[in-house]
């Protein structure tokens, strides 16, 4: 049990760490992440403008976006292995450069070759996918453990801010630039993501992770073996598997259900698109507020607090199944946004703390692969389920899953602290 330090210890102890936002190395990494986020969220909007300008058909848009998703899912696992096998900084560089090269190829194929655009979109998705686990591991290399929660909060605020600023900035630029020029601008953002981040300072492992990775390095295993090593490392942490299951339930069921149902209910129940726009904006603003709050809040049971935040997403489908005032729907989405970041930031921080440093990118890639990979499956199944059982029944079942699965995950051993008791206090 921690005790109150004596005055002597207080005088001789190290000064409190300065804010991570005053660290130039982290700020370069943050700028690169922000640029990649802006590029990621702007691309679908720009391609939507191409449909409005009749340079791309609706079917072509679906094919191009599907190719980007396929490229992302294929590359995220590969990127995790590469980021553990080689320099994380180098993986960020080359994957972001691949996404940058894809932008002029998309512009060249616009209105000329759907095949070229599809291939370029797959390349863009692959660059984005390979970046994600590398950025996650590079954050752990750049920031010491005591400041990682603040750093992860700043990272997620950059991503959430991009969801607001990306389409808005693109719409503003569209008044002055045509679609090919906007696509080239996305390529420039990826160049920033590739070139601005600096080299990490080297992984700083916590004691549990350091003990696991202290063995002498042996001969390099093949790709499949190294990927399976990442799965075995993930299985070593019951809290991680429980959190992944809870994420799948919320994303594949809750998020998918609300993505399909919200536009329908906004149109049919409230007779206006305002509810759709306001709810999605409230969710993003709530997420920004949640990230800001968790950057300083250190709950005594971080895992339980995180699972409670994740379960709050159930309020979104619950509000849609009830005949409530539209302000209640908007408020429910705001709370859901707050809750999702109360989960995400401690989740990323615990992964960086508990997972062996030489396997961190592979475990992070497993996180992205499962959570993102099952989302399209949920989206594909929700609409037929609504046709078969009705929107109220589907929303009710998905809301129940959002509440119950995180609650069950919180009961798993080590889930209360996202690791062994006491380890969370270092972040």
């Amino acid at each position: 049990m921690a005790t109150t330090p004596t005055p002597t210890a207080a005088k001789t102890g190290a000064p409190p760490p300065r804010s991570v936002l005053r660290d130039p190395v982290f700020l370069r990494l943050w700028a690169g992440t922000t640029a990649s986020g802006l590029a990621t969220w702007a691309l679908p909007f720009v391609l939507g403008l191409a449909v409005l300008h009749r340079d791309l058909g609706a079917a072509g848009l679906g094919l191009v976006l599907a190719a980007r998703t396929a490229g992302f899912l294929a590359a995220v696992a590969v990127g995790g292995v590469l980021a553990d096998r080689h320099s994380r900084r180098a993986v960020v560089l080359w994957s972001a450069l691949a996404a940058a090269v894809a932008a002029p190829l998309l512009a060249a194929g616009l209105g000329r070759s759907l095949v070229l655009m599809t291939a370029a979109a797959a390349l863009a998705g692959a660059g984005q996918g390979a970046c994600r686990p590398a950025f996650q591991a590079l954050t752990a290399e750049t920031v010491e453990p005591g400041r990682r929660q603040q750093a992860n909060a700043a990272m997620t605020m950059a991503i959430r801010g991009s969801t607001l600023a990306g389409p808005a900035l693109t719409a503003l630029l569209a008044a002055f630039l045509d679609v090919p020029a906007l696509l080239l601008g996305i390529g420039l953002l990826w160049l920033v993501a590739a070139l601005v981040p600096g080299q990490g300072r080297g992984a700083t492992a916590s004691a549990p992770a350091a003990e696991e990775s202290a063995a002498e390095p042996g001969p390099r295993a093949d790709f499949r073996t190294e990927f399976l090593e990442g799965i075995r490392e993930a299985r070593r942490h019951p809290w991680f598997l429980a959190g992944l299951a809870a994420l799948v339930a919320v994303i594949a069921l809750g998020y998918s259900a609300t993505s399909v149902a919200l536009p329908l209910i906004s149109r049919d129940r409230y007779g206006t698109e305002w509810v759709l726009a306001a709810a999605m904006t409230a969710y993003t603003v709530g997420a920004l507020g949640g990230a800001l709050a968790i950057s300083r809040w250190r709950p005594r049971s971080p895992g339980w607090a995180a699972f409670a935040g994740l379960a709050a997403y159930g309020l979104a489908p619950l509000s849609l199944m009830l005949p409530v005032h539209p302000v209640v729907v908007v408020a429910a989405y705001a709370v859901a946004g707050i809750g999702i970041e109360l989960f995400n930031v401690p989740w990323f921080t615990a992964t960086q703390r508990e997972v062996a440093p030489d396997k961190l990118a592979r475990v992070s890639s497993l996180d992205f692969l499962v959570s993102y990979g099952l989302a399209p499956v949920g989206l594909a199944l929700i609409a037929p389920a609504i046709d078969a059982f009705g929107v109220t029944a589907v929303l009710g079942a998905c809301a129940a899953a959002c509440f119950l699965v995180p609650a069950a995950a919180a009961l798993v051993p080590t889930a209360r602290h996202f690791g062994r008791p006491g380890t969370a206090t270092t972040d």
Side-chain angles (χ1 to χ4, degrees):
M1 181 181 296
T3 58
T4 304
T6 62
T8 302
K11 292 179 181 178
T12 59
R18 65 175 181 169
S19 170
V20 71
L21 299 178
R22 298 174 60 187
D23 184 346
V25 179
F26 172 75
L27 287 178
R28 291 177 61 184
L29 180 62
W30 181 87
T33 303
T34 302
S36 70
L38 285 170
T40 297
W41 289 103
L43 181 58
F45 190 86
V46 173
L47 293 176
L49 291 176
V51 173
L52 293 178
H53 295 169
R54 303 186 185 280
D55 294 322
L56 183 66
L61 174 62
L63 181 62
V64 169
L65 293 178
R68 186 177 76 146
T69 300
F72 176 92
L73 294 176
V76 71
V78 177
V81 173
L82 292 178
D84 281 338
R85 179 181 286 187
H86 305 292
S87 162
R88 277 84 184 255
R89 177 65 188 91
V91 173
V92 167
L93 172 66
W94 291 108
S95 55
L97 285 176
V101 169
L105 293 178
L106 283 167
L110 189 65
R112 300 180 182 89
S113 172
L114 184 59
V115 173
L116 177 59
M117 290 194 70
T118 302
L123 180 61
Q128 177 194 347
C131 266
R132 293 300 296 270
F135 268 127
Q136 184 76 358
L138 192 57
T139 301
E141 289 189 2
T142 302
V143 182
E144 63 268 22
R147 299 192 296 169
R148 284 181 189 161
Q149 184 155 318
Q150 186 184 38
N152 287 316
M155 287 293 195
T156 198
M157 288 179 70
I159 298 298
R160 296 298 181 183
S162 298
T163 66
L164 287 176
L169 181 60
T170 304
L172 177 63
L173 293 174
F176 307 97
L177 302 173
D178 58 13
V179 173
L182 292 173
L183 289 171
L184 293 177
I186 290 174
L188 292 176
L189 287 172
W190 278 114
L191 282 178
V192 172
L195 301 177
V196 169
Q199 187 69 39
R201 298 186 176 100
T204 305
S206 63
E211 292 170 4
E212 295 293 333
S213 59
E216 291 295 326
R220 176 65 68 184
D222 59 36
F223 178 89
R224 177 178 176 275
T225 301
E226 291 202 352
F227 181 73
L228 292 177
E229 285 178 357
I231 295 178
R232 284 193 292 271
E233 173 66 18
R235 292 174 60 186
R236 262 196 342 107
H237 306 280
W239 63 268
F240 182 85
L241 297 180
L244 205 55
L247 268 176
V248 168
V250 170
I251 293 175
L253 295 177
Y255 187 81
S256 296
T258 54
S259 296
V260 174
L262 178 60
L264 299 176
I265 290 174
S266 179
R267 179 196 66 192
D268 298 338
R269 181 187 299 167
Y270 299 109
T272 176
E273 296 178 354
W274 175 86
V275 178
L276 170 63
M280 296 308 299
T281 302
Y283 178 79
T284 302
V285 173
L288 285 168
L292 181 61
I294 200 62
S295 67
R296 296 189 175 274
W297 182 40
R298 300 296 186 272
R300 297 183 62 180
S301 300
W304 285 0
F307 282 124
L310 185 62
Y313 193 88
L315 295 174
L318 186 63
S319 71
L320 295 178
M321 65 179 290
L322 300 174
V324 296
H325 192 278
V327 173
V328 176
V329 175
V330 174
Y333 268 81
V335 174
I338 293 171
I340 204 72
E341 293 308 335
L342 295 183
F343 175 85
N344 279 340
V345 174
W347 169 259
F348 291 144
T349 305
T351 304
Q352 293 162 350
R353 180 186 67 242
E354 297 292 323
V355 171
D358 61 326
K359 299 179 179 68
L360 175 56
R362 278 170 283 179
V363 173
S364 296
S365 71
L366 183 65
D367 175 9
F368 296 128
L369 183 64
V370 172
S371 56
Y372 281 86
L374 292 179
V377 177
L379 287 169
L381 295 177
I382 288 296
I386 289 176
D387 291 336
F389 303 105
V391 65
T392 302
V394 171
L395 287 172
C398 292
C402 290
F403 291 133
L404 296 177
V405 178
L411 302 178
V412 170
T414 70
R416 177 175 180 176
H417 299 282
F418 273 167
R420 304 175 191 179
T423 57
T425 60
T426 62
D427 291 312

